[in-house]
Amino acid sequence: MPDDHVFRMMLRALSGNVPANIESFISRGLAMIQTPYLLFLGDAPDQLAAKVAQGIKDWRPENAVGQFRMAGCGADVGLADMTLEEGIAAGAKTLVIGVANRGGFISDAWKEVLVKALQMGYDIASGLHNLLRDEDALQAAARVNGQTLFDVRIPSVAYPIANGVKRTGKRCLAIGTDCSVGKMYTGLCMDAEMQKRGMKTTFRPTGQTGILITGGGVPLDAVIADFMAGAVEYLTPDNDDDHWDHIEGQGSLFHVSYSGVTMALIHGGQPDALILTHEPTRTHMRGLPDYDLPSLEALRDMALPIARVANPNCQIVGIAINSSKLDDAAAAAYIAEVEGRMGLPTTDPFRFGAGKLVDALDGL
Amino acid sequence: MPDDHVFRMMLRALSGNVPANIESFISRGLAMIQTPYLLFLGDAPDQLAAKVAQGIKDWRPENAVGQFRMAGCGADVGLADMTLEEGIAAGAKTLVIGVANRGGFISDAWKEVLVKALQMGYDIASGLHNLLRDEDALQAAARVNGQTLFDVRIPSVAYPIANGVKRTGKRCLAIGTDCSVGKMYTGLCMDAEMQKRGMKTTFRPTGQTGILITGGGVPLDAVIADFMAGAVEYLTPDNDDDHWDHIEGQGSLFHVSYSGVTMALIHGGQPDALILTHEPTRTHMRGLPDYDLPSLEALRDMALPIARVANPNCQIVGIAINSSKLDDAAAAAYIAEVEGRMGLPTTDPFRFGAGKLVDALDGL
């Protein structure tokens, strides 16, 4: 059943103002954000606060025409500075909030810009905790102008319950010894490497940042328990036999706060290939000071029987190390040690390229 | 942050109409339904439709003063028939919908009774798919009369994210080779056996039927993904060292539609003891014709390493067989075979008593 937001999108389609991607939107039910974007950096205090905008610039530069910065902005993702008018002239369809908001609320200074953007014909997309739709001024301006507010933290689709039916095409999923060890980057790196090689590939986001980078996906951590695996099935439909989905990983089987989300990803995603990911300097599980990290061996031994419930042919094909806290020599030594110990192709795909991991998919 | 429902309950407390259990309600945040109940059987076509009422009668007979039946009712759970007035005179506080509704909607005939009940001072509790709160007539009558509508399918609490901190007291969880193999009955049987022995015990419901039977719990399948494990932590707080929580199981690690919920139960529940449950006549996973059931050995081997992430001392202590489709001789033979093969105390706790399983907790 289409919810309010989907209904508005359909209305817009009927009234002739059809987004380029409306057909895939309707057939897949994914809330596709229209590209290209103008990236809103607002008054970001520093570069770190502009992580989302940086991700878009790094991974889908073709999705952004420029950046919009307000007085006092301390971030710069290296795109052309544009006014809202210049963004429109350059073809921008959506203003994407590429920055965390100070104090966790949407300031009056921001609101003034955002309302003006809606009046000029931009949609707005945001992964902020506080929702655009909860701001009366933005709701009103969007309604009057027929524009859409995308709060990508909130599911916009009534996902089905998973049916477990085997789908065509291939799927790869990165799973981690902990949360935030580089699963999204691993998927993005492998997708980019496959694109470079002219292979059929799609990155399938399951979190806010990934959704904003590509324009669509499933905010899995916000889905109702019974529909998690179904949402992942929905995200990664039947495809060509030689097409790879790189599904963005979430949580960890060993992280007691979020392991259920990881489980649903593995069983809904029915991956053909798993990549183990690890950050070697972590001293305990993220946010859980009493919990040690598991070894890569323990992760392998737990994950493979779980994955084979949904896909008996699943293989663990490689290991991605997040070596960002090691110098070059230490990173190379650590990777060589793991590769020897585990007998699996091992690299830091962000630092040294994902070629080794893509090679490892060969023959699956 | 209290939601609408909690806020109404608090208002009621402030205005002097304080339910007996309001203190535990506020301190624990659980939406406790006031007991005793009058059980609404409505126009149930047959006994099967009155499953929830039968469960209350079987497991918490002290929670029900009688049953309310309408013309054409084909169910009878063996309690005294009462009018709404007689229920009030017998001390009933809540009218519990103990029956599935024909056609999936709340009929005018039902509504007439339910509105009258609210006017007379009953709260109403329901596990129906369609919500009481979505019926304007019921909403209005509840508001005017200061009564509460409990839709137990919907969480009434903003659950925290799990913190994984080790809690005091003991916890037992039944996990199944499939969904609907007798996990709730196993927990209820063990709880009843412990009560009989004068041991400290609480049954902790995680589904609609269990919540209505005991008056409180967490509707886990309706919780947002990120908060599942936290909801289970919340449901089973610190307790006396010799107190056992029997946490109601959900789904199965081997059921791809719901395995994430099971995972969150294991990691949020941090059980000391696991009971394996199995229904021996099942030919495939429930609702998944392409999926075979796992062996009890496969369930054991997958579950224990998972459980030991949250509780390194967790043990698999016994096996509960749902033998309802076998005759006495076949049931006894099957149970003996499993017990010999697995080397674990094995029984059908509903058919033959849970003594063996409770004995198996000794020394944990």
Side-chain angles (χ1 to χ4, degrees):
Chain A
M1 193 127 60
D3 76 351
D4 198 29
H5 164 76
V6 175
F7 186 63
R8 284 205 310 278
M9 288 289 290
M10 286 177 170
L11 265 190
R12 182 201 287 195
L14 289 172
S15 66
N17 178 8
V18 183
N21 51 19
I22 194 71
E23 198 166 304
S24 97
F25 172 82
I26 287 178
S27 66
R28 295 290 332 287
L30 291 173
M32 290 301 293
I33 303 163
Q34 289 192 85
T35 56
Y37 309 148
L38 178 63
L39 302 183
F40 178 83
L41 303 192
D43 46 7
D46 52 37
Q47 196 65 14
L48 200 63
K51 209 174 63 168
V52 168
Q54 192 65 51
I56 296 168
K57 161 64 172 19
D58 288 346
W59 295 105
R60 292 290 182 276
E62 70 276 19
N63 279 357
V65 300
Q67 63 186 16
F68 179 96
R69 301 195 295 166
M70 292 164 60
C73 182
D76 181 351
V77 300
L79 291 170
D81 284 301
M82 291 188 180
T83 62
L84 293 178
E85 291 78 1
E86 289 166 342
I88 291 279
K93 301 275 189 282
T94 303
L95 186 70
V96 169
I97 313 291
V99 61
N101 47 341
R102 298 194 207 211
F105 66 95
I106 298 176
S107 68
D108 287 343
W110 279 32
K111 250 179 274 183
E112 201 177 307
V113 177
L114 302 184
V115 166
K116 191 178 158 207
L118 290 164
Q119 290 167 343
M120 293 174 61
Y122 285 95
D123 290 340
I124 304 183
S126 157
L128 299 177
H129 272 288
N130 40 346
L131 305 182
L132 299 173
R133 70 183 68 169
D134 289 343
E135 299 290 336
D136 291 344
L138 301 184
Q139 272 276 21
R143 198 177 310 113
V144 167
N145 298 283
Q147 301 308 123
T148 300
L149 303 175
F150 291 93
D151 286 304
V152 303
R153 277 189 186 269
I154 307 295
S156 57
V157 171
Y159 302 112
I161 287 176
N163 64 23
V165 174
K166 175 76 184 149
R167 305 192 293 286
T168 54
K170 300 289 184 187
R171 285 158 197 86
C172 181
L173 174 68
I175 57 172
T177 52
D178 192 3
C179 299
S180 311
V181 292
K183 297 185 298 295
M184 182 180 80
Y185 269 47
T186 298
L188 284 164
C189 288
M190 292 181 72
D191 174 58
E193 174 67 19
M194 283 197 168
Q195 285 185 38
K196 219 170 64 185
R197 297 187 187 185
M199 299 170 74
K200 296 180 187 166
T201 174
T202 311
F203 179 72
R204 298 293 189 184
T206 60
Q208 291 79 25
T209 305
I211 294 171
L212 289 174
I213 288 175
T214 66
V218 166
L220 192 60
D221 60 6
V223 172
I224 299 280
D226 255 3
F227 304 97
M228 295 184 298
V232 180
E233 289 188 350
Y234 193 85
L235 178 68
T236 67
D238 280 330
N239 219 317
D240 295 345
D241 287 342
D242 58 346
H243 177 279
W244 280 90
D245 272 342
H246 296 280
I247 307 171
E248 182 187 351
Q250 294 292 337
S252 166
L253 291 172
F254 285 84
H255 196 295
V256 296
S257 310
Y258 309 115
S259 53
V261 181
T262 312
M263 188 73 161
L265 256 176
I266 296 175
H267 280 171
Q270 51 185 230
D272 302 276
L274 293 174
I275 308 280
L276 308 182
T277 57
H278 183 58
E279 202 283 80
T281 69
R282 206 64 70 83
T283 55
H284 60 75
M285 296 295 284
R286 192 177 160 93
L288 304 176
D290 299 338
Y291 287 75
D292 292 332
L293 264 76
S295 65
L296 283 160
E297 287 87 343
L299 177 61
R300 172 194 68 198
D301 294 346
M302 184 181 289
L304 198 56
I306 287 173
R308 287 187 171 165
V309 169
N311 185 343
N313 297 320
C314 182
Q315 307 281 346
I316 294 176
V317 300
I319 300 174
I321 300 297
N322 174 352
S323 68
S324 57
K325 296 201 173 133
L326 304 178
D327 66 29
D328 281 352
Y334 184 80
I335 287 168
E337 186 273 314
V338 168
E339 189 162 64
R341 200 178 86 219
M342 300 290 292
L344 286 167
T346 304
T347 190
D348 180 332
F350 190 63
R351 190 169 191 167
F352 301 119
K356 220 182 209 181
L357 300 178
V358 170
D359 291 345
L361 299 178
D362 207 40
L364 289 189
Chain B
M1 195 126 61
D3 76 352
D4 198 28
H5 166 75
V6 175
F7 185 63
R8 285 205 309 278
M9 288 291 289
M10 285 178 169
L11 264 191
R12 182 202 285 197
L14 290 172
S15 66
N17 179 9
V18 183
N21 52 17
I22 193 72
E23 198 166 305
S24 97
F25 172 81
I26 287 177
S27 65
R28 295 292 329 288
L30 290 172
M32 290 301 294
I33 303 164
Q34 289 193 84
T35 57
Y37 309 148
L38 179 62
L39 302 182
F40 178 84
L41 303 191
D43 46 7
D46 52 36
Q47 197 65 17
L48 201 64
K51 210 175 62 170
V52 167
Q54 193 64 53
I56 296 169
K57 161 63 173 16
D58 288 346
W59 294 105
R60 293 290 184 276
E62 70 276 20
N63 279 357
V65 301
Q67 64 186 15
F68 179 96
R69 302 195 296 167
M70 292 165 60
C73 182
D76 181 351
V77 300
L79 290 170
D81 283 302
M82 291 187 179
T83 62
L84 294 177
E85 291 78 1
E86 289 167 342
I88 291 279
K93 302 275 189 280
T94 304
L95 187 70
V96 169
I97 313 291
V99 61
N101 47 341
R102 299 193 205 210
F105 65 97
I106 298 177
S107 68
D108 287 344
W110 279 32
K111 251 180 272 184
E112 202 176 305
V113 177
L114 303 184
V115 166
K116 190 179 158 204
L118 290 165
Q119 290 167 343
M120 292 174 62
Y122 285 93
D123 289 341
I124 304 182
S126 157
L128 300 177
H129 272 287
N130 41 346
L131 305 183
L132 300 173
R133 71 184 68 168
D134 289 343
E135 299 290 336
D136 291 343
L138 301 184
Q139 272 277 20
R143 198 177 310 113
V144 167
N145 297 283
Q147 300 309 124
T148 301
L149 303 175
F150 291 92
D151 286 304
V152 303
R153 277 190 186 268
I154 307 294
S156 56
V157 170
Y159 302 112
I161 286 176
N163 64 23
V165 173
K166 175 74 184 151
R167 306 191 292 288
T168 54
K170 300 289 183 188
R171 284 157 199 87
C172 181
L173 174 68
I175 57 172
T177 51
D178 193 2
C179 299
S180 311
V181 292
K183 296 185 298 294
M184 183 180 79
Y185 269 49
T186 299
L188 283 164
C189 288
M190 291 181 73
D191 174 57
E193 174 67 20
M194 282 197 168
Q195 284 184 40
K196 219 170 66 183
R197 297 186 186 185
M199 297 170 75
K200 296 180 188 166
T201 175
T202 310
F203 179 71
R204 300 292 188 184
T206 59
Q208 291 79 26
T209 305
I211 293 172
L212 288 173
I213 288 175
T214 66
V218 165
L220 192 59
D221 59 8
V223 171
I224 299 281
D226 255 2
F227 304 97
M228 294 185 299
V232 181
E233 290 188 348
Y234 193 84
L235 179 68
T236 66
D238 280 330
N239 219 317
D240 295 344
D241 287 343
D242 57 347
H243 177 280
W244 280 90
D245 273 341
H246 297 279
I247 307 172
E248 182 187 352
Q250 294 293 336
S252 166
L253 291 172
F254 285 83
H255 196 294
V256 297
S257 310
Y258 309 116
S259 54
V261 181
T262 312
M263 188 73 160
L265 256 176
I266 297 175
H267 280 171
Q270 52 185 229
D272 302 276
L274 293 174
I275 309 280
L276 308 181
T277 58
H278 183 58
E279 202 282 83
T281 70
R282 205 65 70 83
T283 54
H284 60 74
M285 297 294 285
R286 192 177 161 92
L288 305 176
D290 299 338
Y291 287 76
D292 293 332
L293 265 75
S295 64
L296 283 160
E297 287 86 344
L299 177 62
R300 172 195 66 198
D301 293 345
M302 185 181 288
L304 198 56
I306 287 173
R308 287 186 172 166
V309 169
N311 185 344
N313 297 320
C314 182
Q315 307 281 345
I316 295 178
V317 300
I319 299 174
I321 300 296
N322 174 352
S323 68
S324 56
K325 296 199 173 133
L326 304 179
D327 66 27
D328 281 353
Y334 184 81
I335 287 169
E337 186 272 316
V338 169
E339 188 162 66
R341 200 179 87 220
M342 300 289 293
L344 286 167
T346 304
T347 190
D348 180 333
F350 190 62
R351 189 171 193 166
F352 301 119
K356 220 181 209 182
L357 299 178
V358 170
D359 291 346
L361 299 178
D362 206 42
L364 289 189

